[in-house]
């Protein structure tokens, strides 16, 4: 092939190799990421609208890849789900977040709730309740301090199972939050079928809330509907004071976003006039 001349070498440029091998090697690397301790859980504060105090945090996973540095969960969670790796990884997140929160509780921040994202693949496991309870027992965290974030897509898949799991969780005082509310294609009928604690308004609705009348209308409708169903409302992606003001006017219960803090490493803790935790 070399004899054919100069052009052929382009197939061997590092760039091309990167393109063709990247997905596969990312998958391979993901298999070793847990044992190589490349994951980190960051914590993003959640602020109570009425008191302005921090009442909890959401656990958000990060992957420190040895060569590619930080990889976004948007990129690797789907691979983890396709390969089944989400099961051990998700358990590690839950255990890490519960351990950390118990540590904060013991350090005097007993009011902190911890919200953990649960993939549909985790949720569909036969023994999911057992696994969650084992982790709570192991770490000593009060079950009432744990909030599980599930997307509407994952709860409508198997209504029978969802009802059973939700009532088991409720029995133990664990809270359930519907994540990315309104971004899927589910009908609203599940709101009366299942009992849970809060709705989380996705940042795509909160964005431009003060300038985009459609986003504003959707957000107001979600808050009012949630409240008439006695559900708590959490707004995510709050970036500006104007957005905070808007949300407070419509009595959104909890806010989360860069306005208060980005997701931060546990050891940094969080300190502001809104309160503090950690470190
Ligand atoms: P999500 O559950 O909807 O999490 C909210 C995302 O919005 C996070 O992105 C967070 O960093 C980001 N965010 C927070 N405040 C703001 C803001 O003010 N402005 C903007 N533009 N963004 C903000 P992140 O951490 O990159 O996570 C992306 C998604 O990955 C999450 O979306 C969640 O679906 C998934 N994910 C993250 N950690 C886990 C995990 O441990 N398990 C599972 N199954 N999924 C996870
Ligand atoms: Ca979430
Ligand atoms: Ca989500
Ligand atoms: Ca979201």
């Amino acid at each position: 092939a070399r004899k054919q001349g100069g052009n052929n070498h382009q197939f061997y440029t590092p760039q091309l190799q990167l393109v063709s091998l990247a997905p596969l090697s990312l998958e391979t690397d993901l298999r070793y990421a847990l044992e190589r301790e490349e994951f980190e859980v960051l914590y993003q504060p959640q602020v109570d609208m009425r008191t302005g105090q921090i009442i909890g945090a959401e656990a958000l996973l990060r992957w420190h890849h040895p060569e590619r540095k930080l990889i976004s969960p948007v990129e690797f969670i789907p691979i983890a789900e396709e390969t089944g790796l989400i099961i051990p990884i998700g358990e590690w997140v839950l255990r890490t977040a519960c351990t950390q929160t118990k540590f904060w509780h013991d350090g005097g921040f007993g009011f902190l709730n911890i919200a953990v994202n649960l993939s549909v693949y985790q949720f569909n496991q036969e023994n999911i309740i057992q696994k969650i309870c084992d982790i709570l027992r192991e770490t000593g965290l009060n079950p009432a301090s744990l909030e599980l974030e599930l997307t509407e897509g994952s709860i409508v898949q198997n209504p029978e199972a969802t009802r059973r799991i939700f009532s088991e969780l409720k029995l133990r005082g664990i809270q359930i939050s519907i994540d990315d509310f309104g971004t899927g294609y589910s009908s609203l009928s599940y709101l009366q079928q299942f009992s849970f604690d809060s709705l989380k308004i996705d940042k795509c609705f909160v964005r431009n809330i003060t300038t985009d009348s459609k986003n504003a209308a959707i957000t107001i409708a979600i808050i009012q509907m949630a409240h008439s169903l006695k559900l708590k409302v959490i707004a995510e992606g709050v970036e500006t004071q104007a957005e905070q003001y808007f949300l407070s006017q419509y009595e959104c219960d909890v806010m989360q976003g860069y306005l208060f803090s980005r997701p931060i490493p546990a050891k940094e803790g969080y300190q502001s006039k809104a309160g503090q935790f950690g470190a």
Side-chain angles (χ1 to χ4, degrees), residues 112-129:
L112 273 185
N113 284 327
I114 185 72
V116 179
N117 294 285
L118 210 65
S119 160
V120 60
Y121 295 89
Q122 291 176 273
F123 187 67
N124 284 343
Q125 283 176 286
E126 201 126 307
N127 55 352
I128 183 62
I129 295 292

Side-chain angles (χ1 to χ4, degrees), residues 58-60 115-118 149-151 179-180 200 236 256:
E58 179 178 5
L60 292 159
V116 179
N117 294 285
L118 210 65
E149 295 194 359
L150 286 153
T151 59
D179 206 357
D180 301 338
K200 210 162 172 184
E236 123 192 321
Q256 187 184 337

Side-chain angles (χ1 to χ4, degrees), residues 179-180 201-204 236:
D179 206 357
D180 301 338
I201 308 180
D202 190 72
K203 57 178 180 288
C204 72
E236 123 192 321

Side-chain angles (χ1 to χ4, degrees), residues 41-245:
V41 177
L42 299 187
Y43 299 87
Q44 187 177 37
Q46 298 183 325
V47 175
D48 183 304
M49 185 89 237
R50 271 166 300 246
T51 63
Q53 298 296 302
I54 292 180
I55 51 158
E58 179 178 5
L60 292 159
L61 183 59
R62 295 293 178 268
W63 180 15
H64 300 278
H65 189 279
E67 288 122 43
R68 297 178 52 179
K69 306 302 169 212
L70 202 67
I71 302 184
S72 162
V74 177
E75 203 177 330
F76 71 81
I77 293 282
I79 301 175
E81 290 181 329
E82 281 162 30
T83 53
L85 289 166
I86 192 67
I87 302 294
I89 293 172
E91 271 168 48
W92 180 86
V93 172
L94 185 60
R95 184 173 296 109
T96 303
C98 289
T99 303
Q100 184 61 56
T101 307
K102 168 70 172 148
F103 180 80
W104 282 328
H105 283 189
D106 292 345
F109 304 104
F111 51 86
L112 273 185
N113 284 327
I114 185 72
V116 179
N117 294 285
L118 210 65
S119 160
V120 60
Y121 295 89
Q122 291 176 273
F123 187 67
N124 284 343
Q125 283 176 286
E126 201 126 307
N127 55 352
I128 183 62
I129 295 292
Q130 192 56 50
K131 286 188 163 184
I132 294 168
C133 291
D134 285 350
I135 289 173
L136 284 167
R137 201 172 317 110
E138 242 175 76
T139 59
L141 184 72
N142 178 358
S145 303
L146 177 63
E147 183 167 305
L148 297 173
E149 295 194 359
L150 286 153
T151 59
E152 46 197 355
S154 45
I155 68 169
V156 298
Q157 272 191 7
N158 186 347
E160 266 325 288
T162 298
R163 245 190 305 277
R164 182 178 54 78
I165 294 171
F166 277 19
S167 70
E168 297 252 9
L169 292 172
K170 204 186 188 91
L171 212 69
R172 292 164 171 85
I174 299 166
Q175 300 160 74
I176 304 160
S177 177
I178 304 305
D179 206 357
D180 301 338
F181 181 75
T183 62
Y185 296 99
S186 341
S187 90
L188 292 175
S189 68
Y190 72 86
L191 291 172
Q192 79 21 290
Q193 277 188 61
F194 308 122
S195 72
F196 44 86
D197 305 281
S198 46
L199 287 184
K200 210 162 172 184
I201 308 180
D202 190 72
K203 57 178 180 288
C204 72
F205 298 123
V206 174
R207 185 172 304 139
N208 307 326
I209 207 179
T210 51
T211 50
D212 181 324
S213 60
K214 281 186 185 164
N215 278 6
I218 292 169
T219 301
I220 295 167
I222 294 175
I223 294 173
Q224 290 174 345
M225 181 185 64
H227 282 167
S228 53
L229 293 168
K230 307 260 187 294
L231 299 170
K232 193 173 77 176
V233 189
I234 305 165
E236 123 192 321
V238 182
E239 293 186 354
T240 67
Q241 231 134 34
E243 287 162 2
Q244 173 184 16
Y245 182 70

